[in-house]
Amino acid sequence: MSGTVSTDVFVETLSDRLSPEEAQETIERAAEYKSLDVRDQYAQDEALELADALTEMDDVKLFVNISGNTIKARIQNGAN
């Protein structure tokens, strides 16, 4: 896999149930969970790690865990 993925992909998906600010905070927590730097663009493999973090985190709403799988699918299907 190559290319980059914008955090907009994450924010758009999470904003179905979270405010954009809450979505951004959740993304930042997921990055910290995976020891990734917080930034606006990620390599595809890092973006998939970030999406995995959303599925693994215990201290988030179930919606966020489910959204992690949705985001992974979007990345694998070429979202950037």
Side-chain angles (χ1 to χ4, degrees), residues 16-79:
D16 285 346
R17 298 267 176 97
L18 303 176
S19 71
E21 295 80 17
E22 289 173 316
Q24 188 61 45
E25 289 172 10
T26 301
I27 294 163
E28 291 171 6
R29 287 182 32 229
E32 291 171 10
Y33 179 83
K34 286 291 186 175
S35 300
L36 297 170
D37 292 332
V38 175
R39 52 187 187 268
D40 293 333
Q41 297 271 334
Y42 290 91
Q44 283 186 327
D45 59 336
E46 291 176 320
L48 288 170
E49 278 188 64
L50 197 57
D52 276 338
L54 295 176
T55 67
E56 298 167 1
M57 293 169 61
D58 292 328
D59 60 341
V60 295
K61 298 176 183 176
L62 179 59
F63 165 78
V64 172
N65 297 135
I66 294 167
S67 293
N69 288 319
T70 302
I71 293 167
K72 282 175 59 174
R74 289 185 66 187
I75 294 167
Q76 291 167 335
N77 288 320

